[in-house]
Amino acid sequence: MEVPVIDFGELDGQRSETMALLHRACEKWGCLQIENHGIDKSLMENVKQLVNQHDEENMKDSFYESEIANGLQNKSLTSDADWESTFFIWHRPKSNIDELTNLSDELRKVMDAYIDKLIKLEENLSELMCENLGIEKDYIKESFSGSKGPSVGTKVAKYPQCPRPELVRGLREHTDAGGIILLLQDDQVPGLEFFKDGQWVDIPPSKNNTVFVNTGDQMEVLTNRRYKSALQRVMADKNGSRLSIATFYNPVADAIISPAPKLLYPNRFRSQDYLNLDAMTKFAEKGPKFESMKRMVNGQHNNVV
């Protein structure tokens, strides 16, 4: 099995086929890769180069002197250990990037430029998801916004070369808690895996700066389980260090998350009422019937299909 690849360049030409591929990927996989996404690839390369430089100058040595590295060497690791070195940047609604004083001015400037482009991609993607789900195009963005607009933050991680990868995970099995996650990852070193149909599927390194996407738990709730969050993990690697720059487009803290009403089934209706409706609309599609039943339950008895 291979994770679906969606070519956004085809949205202007083969739109219906591309939208169908996107919908199936979100429904069946909970993850996908986007190519021809519109973000300048030289900007993405610059982000990766500067993050790798920051790791070499500020993170690498301290990681190999850390408790987890010593624990691996002494075979005394605890079960909650992850073989990763990370920092987190908040972008929206309020940025903390200037508070991270060990980041170079160039990295801060390039990261801000990249995030501006990525948010536009995330919002475009959310609108396409809404279109596929048959809900208002801004529904996801507005649901995530609360009083301050969606929450956007980036986890920057290095999964350092590991001498004993059989003893530790890069990152243990989990689902993401939030909304839509866009990942710029290593183009050489593997490690990311997603669980699909009873088996772990390797997510290959991102060649040509494709963007990897997955949906989180709160998207599963908002879509009434149409777009499920998928179990994932990162395997440690003996031959190289893997770069991961994951940007989370999430509900802000005071956002109230619930299933979109249009995606809910009708409930608490009398069986005979549905049979009466079906008798009048026998050969109509079931979707409009369900909508009619929802209106009927809400007291709008004159609105039938």
Coordinates of all heavy atoms in Angstrom, one line a residue, residues 146-224:
G146 N -13.0 30.2 17.2 CA -13.3 30.7 18.5 C -13.4 32.2 18.5 O -13.9 32.8 17.6
S147 N -12.8 32.9 19.5 CA -12.8 34.3 19.5 C -11.5 35.0 18.9 O -11.5 36.2 18.7 CB -12.9 34.8 21.0 OG -11.8 34.3 21.7
K148 N -10.5 34.1 18.5 CA -9.2 34.7 18.1 C -8.7 34.2 16.8 O -7.7 34.6 16.4 CB -8.2 34.4 19.2 CG -8.5 35.0 20.6 CD -7.4 34.6 21.6 CE -7.7 35.2 22.9 NZ -6.7 34.8 24.0
G149 N -9.5 33.3 16.1 CA -9.0 32.7 14.9 C -8.3 31.4 15.2 O -7.9 31.1 16.3
P150 N -8.1 30.6 14.2 CA -7.5 29.2 14.4 C -6.1 29.3 15.0 O -5.4 30.3 14.9 CB -7.3 28.7 12.9 CG -8.4 29.4 12.2 CD -8.5 30.8 12.8
S151 N -5.7 28.3 15.7 CA -4.4 28.2 16.4 C -3.5 27.5 15.4 O -3.8 26.4 14.8 CB -4.6 27.3 17.6 OG -3.3 27.1 18.2
V152 N -2.3 28.1 15.2 CA -1.3 27.5 14.3 C 0.0 27.5 15.0 O 0.5 28.5 15.5 CB -1.2 28.4 13.0 CG1 -0.1 27.7 12.0 CG2 -2.5 28.5 12.3
G153 N 0.6 26.3 15.0 CA 1.9 26.2 15.7 C 2.7 25.1 15.0 O 2.2 24.2 14.3
T154 N 4.0 25.1 15.1 CA 4.9 24.2 14.4 C 5.8 23.4 15.4 O 6.5 24.1 16.2 CB 5.8 24.9 13.4 OG1 5.0 25.5 12.4 CG2 6.8 23.9 12.7
K155 N 5.8 22.1 15.4 CA 6.7 21.3 16.1 C 7.9 21.0 15.2 O 7.7 20.3 14.1 CB 6.1 20.0 16.6 CG 7.0 19.0 17.3 CD 6.4 17.7 17.6 CE 7.4 16.7 18.2 NZ 6.8 15.4 18.4
V156 N 9.1 21.5 15.5 CA 10.3 21.2 14.8 C 11.0 20.1 15.5 O 11.3 20.2 16.7 CB 11.2 22.4 14.7 CG1 12.5 22.1 13.9 CG2 10.4 23.6 14.0
A157 N 11.3 19.0 14.8 CA 11.8 17.8 15.4 C 13.0 17.2 14.6 O 12.9 17.2 13.4 CB 10.8 16.7 15.7
K158 N 14.0 16.8 15.3 CA 15.0 15.9 14.7 C 14.9 14.6 15.4 O 14.9 14.5 16.6 CB 16.4 16.5 14.9 CG 16.7 17.7 14.0 CD 16.9 17.3 12.5 CE 18.2 16.7 12.3 NZ 18.6 16.5 10.8
Y159 N 15.0 13.5 14.6 CA 15.0 12.2 15.2 C 16.5 11.7 14.9 O 16.8 11.2 13.8 CB 14.0 11.3 14.5 CG 12.6 11.8 14.8 CD1 11.9 12.6 14.0 CD2 11.9 11.4 16.0 CE1 10.6 13.1 14.3 CE2 10.7 11.9 16.3 CZ 10.0 12.7 15.4 OH 8.8 13.2 15.7
P160 N 17.3 11.9 15.9 CA 18.8 11.7 15.7 C 19.1 10.2 15.3 O 18.4 9.3 15.7 CB 19.4 12.1 17.0 CG 18.4 12.9 17.7 CD 17.1 12.4 17.3
Q161 N 20.2 10.1 14.6 CA 20.7 8.7 14.3 C 20.8 7.9 15.6 O 21.3 8.4 16.6 CB 22.1 8.9 13.7 CG 22.7 7.6 13.1 CD 23.9 7.8 12.3 OE1 24.3 8.9 12.1 NE2 24.5 6.7 11.8
C162 N 20.3 6.7 15.6 CA 20.2 5.9 16.8 C 21.0 4.6 16.8 O 20.8 3.8 15.8 CB 18.7 5.6 17.1 SG 18.3 4.7 18.6
P163 N 21.9 4.4 17.7 CA 22.7 3.2 17.6 C 21.9 1.9 17.9 O 22.3 0.8 17.5 CB 23.8 3.4 18.7 CG 23.1 4.4 19.7 CD 22.2 5.3 18.8
R164 N 20.8 2.0 18.6 CA 20.0 0.8 19.0 C 18.5 1.0 18.7 O 17.7 1.1 19.6 CB 20.2 0.4 20.4 CG 21.6 0.1 20.8 CD 22.1 -1.2 20.2 NE 21.3 -2.4 20.5 CZ 21.4 -3.1 21.7 NH1 22.3 -2.8 22.6 NH2 20.6 -4.1 21.9
P165 N 18.1 1.2 17.4 CA 16.7 1.5 17.1 C 15.7 0.5 17.5 O 14.5 0.7 17.6 CB 16.8 1.7 15.6 CG 17.9 0.9 15.1 CD 18.9 1.0 16.2
E166 N 16.2 -0.8 17.8 CA 15.2 -1.8 18.2 C 14.8 -1.6 19.6 O 13.8 -2.3 20.1 CB 15.9 -3.2 18.0 CG 17.0 -3.5 19.0 CD 18.4 -3.0 18.7 OE1 18.4 -2.2 17.7 OE2 19.3 -3.3 19.3
L167 N 15.4 -0.7 20.4 CA 15.1 -0.5 21.8 C 14.2 0.7 22.1 O 13.7 0.9 23.2 CB 16.4 -0.3 22.6 CG 17.4 -1.5 22.6 CD1 18.6 -1.2 23.5 CD2 16.7 -2.8 23.1
V168 N 14.0 1.5 21.1 CA 13.3 2.8 21.3 C 12.6 3.2 20.1 O 13.0 3.0 18.9 CB 14.2 3.9 21.8 CG1 15.2 4.3 20.8 CG2 13.5 5.1 22.4
R169 N 11.4 3.9 20.2 CA 10.7 4.6 19.1 C 11.3 6.0 19.0 O 11.6 6.7 20.0 CB 9.2 4.7 19.4 CG 8.5 3.3 19.4 CD 8.1 2.9 18.0 NE 7.2 1.8 18.1 CZ 7.6 0.5 18.0 NH1 8.9 0.2 17.9 NH2 6.7 -0.5 18.1
G170 N 11.3 6.5 17.7 CA 11.5 7.9 17.6 C 10.3 8.7 18.3 O 10.6 9.7 19.0
L171 N 9.1 8.2 18.0 CA 7.9 8.8 18.7 C 6.9 7.7 18.8 O 6.6 7.0 17.8 CB 7.4 10.0 17.8 CG 6.2 10.7 18.5 CD1 6.6 11.4 19.8 CD2 5.7 11.8 17.5
R172 N 6.4 7.5 20.0 CA 5.5 6.3 20.2 C 4.2 6.5 19.4 O 3.8 7.5 19.0 CB 5.2 6.2 21.7 CG 6.4 5.6 22.5 CD 6.2 6.0 24.0 NE 6.5 7.4 24.2 CZ 5.9 8.1 25.2 NH1 5.1 7.4 26.1 NH2 6.2 9.3 25.4
E173 N 3.4 5.4 19.4 CA 2.2 5.3 18.7 C 1.2 6.3 19.3 O 1.0 6.4 20.5 CB 1.6 3.9 18.8 CG 2.3 2.8 18.0 CD 3.6 2.3 18.7 OE1 3.9 2.8 19.8 OE2 4.3 1.5 18.1
H174 N 0.5 7.1 18.4 CA -0.4 8.1 18.8 C -1.3 8.6 17.6 O -1.0 8.3 16.5 CB 0.4 9.3 19.4 CG 1.1 10.1 18.3 ND1 2.3 9.6 17.8 CD2 0.9 11.3 17.7 CE1 2.8 10.4 16.9 NE2 1.9 11.5 16.8
T175 N -2.4 9.3 18.0 CA -3.1 10.1 17.0 C -2.9 11.5 17.3 O -2.6 11.9 18.5 CB -4.6 9.8 16.9 OG1 -5.1 10.0 18.2 CG2 -4.8 8.3 16.5
D176 N -3.0 12.4 16.3 CA -2.8 13.9 16.6 C -4.2 14.4 17.2 O -5.2 14.0 16.7 CB -2.4 14.6 15.4 CG -1.0 14.4 15.0 OD1 -0.1 14.3 15.9 OD2 -0.7 14.3 13.8
A177 N -4.1 15.2 18.1 CA -5.3 15.7 18.9 C -6.1 16.7 18.1 O -7.3 16.9 18.4 CB -4.9 16.2 20.2
G178 N -5.5 17.5 17.2 CA -6.1 18.7 16.7 C -6.8 18.6 15.4 O -7.7 17.7 15.2
G179 N -6.5 19.4 14.4 CA -7.2 19.6 13.2 C -6.6 19.0 12.0 O -6.7 17.9 11.6
I180 N -5.8 19.9 11.3 CA -5.2 19.5 10.0 C -3.7 19.8 10.2 O -3.3 20.8 10.6 CB -5.7 20.3 8.8 CG1 -7.2 20.2 8.7 CG2 -5.0 19.9 7.5 CD1 -7.8 21.1 7.7
I181 N -2.9 18.7 9.9 CA -1.4 18.8 10.1 C -0.7 18.7 8.8 O -1.0 17.8 8.0 CB -0.9 17.7 11.0 CG1 -1.6 17.7 12.4 CG2 0.6 17.8 11.2 CD1 -2.9 17.0 12.5
L182 N 0.1 19.7 8.5 CA 0.9 19.7 7.3 C 2.4 19.6 7.6 O 2.9 20.3 8.4 CB 0.7 21.1 6.5 CG -0.5 21.1 5.5 CD1 -1.8 20.9 6.2 CD2 -0.5 22.4 4.7
L183 N 3.0 18.6 7.0 CA 4.4 18.2 7.4 C 5.3 18.4 6.2 O 5.1 17.9 5.1 CB 4.4 16.7 7.8 CG 5.7 16.0 8.0 CD1 6.4 16.6 9.2 CD2 5.6 14.5 8.2
L184 N 6.4 19.1 6.5 CA 7.6 19.2 5.7 C 8.6 18.3 6.3 O 9.0 18.5 7.4 CB 8.1 20.7 5.6 CG 9.4 20.9 4.9 CD1 9.3 20.5 3.4 CD2 9.8 22.4 5.0
Q185 N 9.0 17.2 5.6 CA 9.8 16.2 6.2 C 11.1 16.0 5.4 O 11.3 16.5 4.3 CB 9.1 14.9 6.5 CG 8.6 14.2 5.2 CD 8.3 12.8 5.5 OE1 8.6 12.2 6.5 NE2 7.6 12.1 4.6
D186 N 11.9 15.1 6.0 CA 13.2 14.8 5.4 C 13.0 14.2 4.0 O 12.0 13.5 3.7 CB 13.9 13.8 6.3 CG 15.4 13.8 6.2 OD1 15.9 13.3 5.2 OD2 16.1 14.3 7.1
D187 N 14.0 14.5 3.1 CA 13.9 13.9 1.8 C 14.8 12.7 1.6 O 15.0 12.1 0.5 CB 14.2 14.9 0.7 CG 15.6 15.6 0.9 OD1 16.3 15.1 1.8 OD2 15.9 16.5 0.1
Q188 N 15.5 12.2 2.7 CA 16.4 11.1 2.6 C 16.1 10.0 3.6 O 16.1 8.8 3.3 CB 17.8 11.6 2.8 CG 18.3 12.6 1.8 CD 18.5 12.0 0.4 OE1 18.8 10.8 0.3 NE2 18.2 12.7 -0.6
V189 N 15.9 10.4 4.9 CA 15.8 9.4 6.0 C 14.3 9.1 6.3 O 13.5 10.0 6.5 CB 16.5 10.0 7.3 CG1 16.4 8.9 8.4 CG2 17.9 10.3 7.0
P190 N 14.0 7.8 6.2 CA 12.6 7.4 6.5 C 12.3 7.3 8.0 O 13.2 7.6 8.8 CB 12.5 6.0 5.9 CG 13.9 5.5 6.0 CD 14.8 6.6 5.9
G191 N 11.1 6.8 8.4 CA 10.8 6.6 9.8 C 9.3 6.7 10.1 O 8.8 6.0 11.0
L192 N 8.6 7.6 9.4 CA 7.2 7.8 9.7 C 6.4 6.7 9.2 O 6.6 6.2 8.0 CB 6.8 9.1 9.0 CG 5.3 9.5 9.2 CD1 5.0 9.8 10.7 CD2 5.0 10.8 8.4
E193 N 5.4 6.2 10.0 CA 4.6 5.1 9.6 C 3.1 5.4 10.1 O 2.9 6.0 11.2 CB 5.0 3.8 10.3 CG 6.4 3.3 9.8 CD 6.8 2.0 10.5 OE1 6.0 1.5 11.4 OE2 7.8 1.4 10.0
F194 N 2.2 5.0 9.3 CA 0.7 5.1 9.6 C 0.1 3.7 9.6 O 0.5 2.9 8.8 CB 0.0 6.0 8.6 CG 0.0 7.5 9.0 CD1 1.2 8.2 9.1 CD2 -1.1 8.1 9.4 CE1 1.2 9.5 9.5 CE2 -1.1 9.5 9.8 CZ 0.0 10.2 9.8
F195 N -0.9 3.5 10.4 CA -1.6 2.2 10.6 C -2.8 2.2 9.7 O -3.7 3.1 9.8 CB -2.0 2.0 12.0 CG -2.3 0.6 12.4 CD1 -1.3 -0.4 12.4 CD2 -3.6 0.2 12.7 CE1 -1.6 -1.7 12.7 CE2 -3.9 -1.1 13.0 CZ -2.9 -2.1 13.0
K196 N -2.9 1.2 8.8 CA -3.9 1.2 7.8 C -4.3 -0.3 7.6 O -3.4 -1.1 7.3 CB -3.5 1.8 6.5 CG -4.5 1.6 5.3 CD -5.5 2.7 5.3 CE -6.3 2.8 4.0 NZ -7.1 1.6 3.7
D197 N -5.6 -0.6 7.8 CA -6.1 -2.0 7.5 C -5.2 -3.1 8.2 O -4.9 -4.1 7.6 CB -6.1 -2.2 6.0 CG -7.1 -1.3 5.3 OD1 -8.0 -0.8 6.0 OD2 -6.9 -1.1 4.1
G198 N -4.9 -2.8 9.5 CA -4.2 -3.8 10.3 C -2.7 -3.9 10.1 O -2.1 -4.9 10.6
Q199 N -2.1 -3.0 9.4 CA -0.7 -3.1 9.2 C -0.1 -1.7 9.2 O -0.8 -0.7 8.9 CB -0.3 -3.8 7.9 CG -0.9 -3.2 6.6 CD -0.5 -4.0 5.4 OE1 0.6 -4.2 5.1 NE2 -1.6 -4.5 4.7
W200 N 1.2 -1.6 9.5 CA 1.9 -0.3 9.5 C 2.4 -0.1 8.0 O 3.0 -0.9 7.4 CB 3.1 -0.3 10.5 CG 2.6 -0.2 11.9 CD1 2.5 -1.3 12.8 CD2 2.2 0.9 12.6 NE1 2.0 -0.8 14.0 CE2 1.8 0.5 13.9 CE3 2.1 2.3 12.2 CZ2 1.3 1.5 14.8 CZ3 1.6 3.2 13.1 CH2 1.2 2.8 14.4
V201 N 2.2 1.1 7.6 CA 2.5 1.5 6.2 C 3.6 2.6 6.3 O 3.5 3.6 7.0 CB 1.3 2.1 5.4 CG1 1.8 2.5 4.0 CG2 0.2 1.1 5.4
D202 N 4.7 2.3 5.6 CA 5.8 3.3 5.6 C 5.4 4.5 4.8 O 4.9 4.4 3.7 CB 7.1 2.7 4.9 CG 7.7 1.6 5.7 OD1 7.6 1.6 7.0 OD2 8.3 0.6 5.1
I203 N 5.7 5.7 5.4 CA 5.5 7.0 4.6 C 6.9 7.4 4.1 O 7.8 7.7 4.9 CB 4.9 8.1 5.5 CG1 3.6 7.6 6.2 CG2 4.7 9.3 4.7 CD1 2.5 7.2 5.2
P204 N 7.1 7.3 2.8 CA 8.5 7.5 2.3 C 9.0 9.0 2.5 O 8.1 9.9 2.7 CB 8.4 7.2 0.9 CG 7.0 7.5 0.5 CD 6.2 7.1 1.7
P205 N 10.3 9.2 2.6 CA 10.7 10.6 2.6 C 10.1 11.4 1.5 O 9.8 10.9 0.4 CB 12.3 10.5 2.4 CG 12.6 9.1 2.9 CD 11.4 8.3 2.5
S206 N 9.9 12.7 1.7 CA 9.2 13.6 0.8 C 10.2 14.1 -0.3 O 10.9 15.1 -0.1 CB 8.6 14.8 1.5 OG 7.6 14.3 2.4
K207 N 10.1 13.5 -1.4 CA 10.9 13.9 -2.6 C 10.3 15.2 -3.2 O 9.1 15.3 -3.2 CB 11.0 12.8 -3.6 CG 11.6 11.5 -3.1 CD 13.1 11.7 -2.7 CE 13.7 10.4 -2.2 NZ 15.1 10.6 -1.8
N208 N 11.1 16.1 -3.7 CA 10.7 17.3 -4.4 C 9.8 18.1 -3.6 O 8.9 18.8 -4.1 CB 9.9 16.8 -5.7 CG 10.0 18.0 -6.8 OD1 10.9 18.8 -6.8 ND2 9.0 18.0 -7.6
N209 N 9.9 18.1 -2.2 CA 9.2 18.9 -1.3 C 7.7 18.8 -1.4 O 7.0 19.8 -1.3 CB 9.6 20.4 -1.4 CG 11.0 20.6 -0.8 OD1 11.3 20.1 0.3 ND2 11.8 21.4 -1.5
T210 N 7.2 17.6 -1.6 CA 5.8 17.4 -1.4 C 5.4 17.6 0.1 O 6.3 17.6 1.0 CB 5.4 15.9 -1.7 OG1 6.1 15.0 -0.9 CG2 5.6 15.6 -3.2
V211 N 4.2 18.0 0.3 CA 3.7 18.2 1.7 C 2.8 17.1 2.1 O 1.9 16.7 1.4 CB 2.9 19.5 1.8 CG1 2.2 19.7 3.1 CG2 3.8 20.8 1.5
F212 N 3.2 16.5 3.3 CA 2.4 15.4 3.8 C 1.3 16.0 4.7 O 1.6 16.9 5.5 CB 3.3 14.4 4.6 CG 2.6 13.2 5.2 CD1 2.3 12.1 4.4 CD2 2.1 13.2 6.5 CE1 1.6 11.0 4.9 CE2 1.5 12.1 7.0 CZ 1.2 11.1 6.2
V213 N 0.1 15.4 4.6 CA -1.1 15.9 5.4 C -1.7 14.8 6.2 O -1.9 13.7 5.6 CB -2.1 16.5 4.4 CG1 -3.3 17.0 5.2 CG2 -1.5 17.7 3.6
N214 N -2.1 15.1 7.4 CA -3.0 14.1 8.1 C -4.0 14.9 9.0 O -3.8 16.1 9.2 CB -2.2 13.1 9.0 CG -1.5 13.7 10.2 OD1 -0.4 14.3 10.0 ND2 -2.1 13.6 11.3
T215 N -5.1 14.3 9.3 CA -6.1 14.9 10.1 C -6.1 14.4 11.5 O -5.8 13.2 11.7 CB -7.5 14.7 9.4 OG1 -7.7 13.3 9.1 CG2 -7.7 15.5 8.2
G216 N -6.5 15.2 12.4 CA -6.5 14.9 13.9 C -7.8 14.5 14.4 O -8.8 14.5 13.8
D217 N -7.8 14.3 15.7 CA -9.0 13.8 16.5 C -10.1 14.8 16.4 O -11.3 14.4 16.2 CB -8.7 13.6 17.9 CG -7.6 12.5 18.2 OD1 -7.3 11.7 17.2 OD2 -7.0 12.4 19.3
Q218 N -9.9 16.1 16.5 CA -11.0 17.0 16.5 C -11.6 17.2 15.1 O -12.8 17.5 15.0 CB -10.5 18.4 17.1 CG -10.2 18.2 18.6 CD -9.9 19.5 19.2 OE1 -10.7 20.4 19.4 NE2 -8.6 19.7 19.7
M219 N -10.8 16.9 14.1 CA -11.4 16.9 12.7 C -12.3 15.7 12.6 O -13.3 15.7 11.9 CB -10.3 16.8 11.7 CG -9.8 18.2 11.2 SD -11.1 19.1 10.2 CE -11.1 18.1 8.7
E220 N -11.9 14.6 13.2 CA -12.8 13.4 13.2 C -14.1 13.7 13.9 O -15.2 13.3 13.4 CB -12.1 12.2 13.9 CG -13.0 10.9 13.9 CD -12.2 9.7 14.4 OE1 -11.0 9.6 14.2 OE2 -12.9 8.8 14.9
V221 N -14.1 14.4 15.0 CA -15.4 14.8 15.6 C -16.2 15.8 14.8 O -17.4 15.6 14.5 CB -15.1 15.5 17.0 CG1 -16.3 16.1 17.6 CG2 -14.4 14.5 18.0
L222 N -15.5 16.8 14.2 CA -16.2 17.8 13.4 C -16.9 17.2 12.2 O -17.9 17.6 11.8 CB -15.2 18.9 13.0 CG -15.8 20.1 12.3 CD1 -15.0 21.4 12.7 CD2 -15.7 20.0 10.8
T223 N -16.2 16.2 11.6 CA -16.8 15.6 10.4 C -17.6 14.4 10.7 O -18.0 13.6 9.8 CB -15.6 15.1 9.4 OG1 -14.8 14.1 10.1 CG2 -14.7 16.3 9.1
N224 N -18.0 14.2 12.0 CA -18.8 13.1 12.4 C -18.2 11.7 11.9 O -18.9 10.9 11.4 CB -20.2 13.2 11.9 CG -21.2 12.3 12.6 OD1 -21.0 12.0 13.8 ND2 -22.3 11.9 12.0

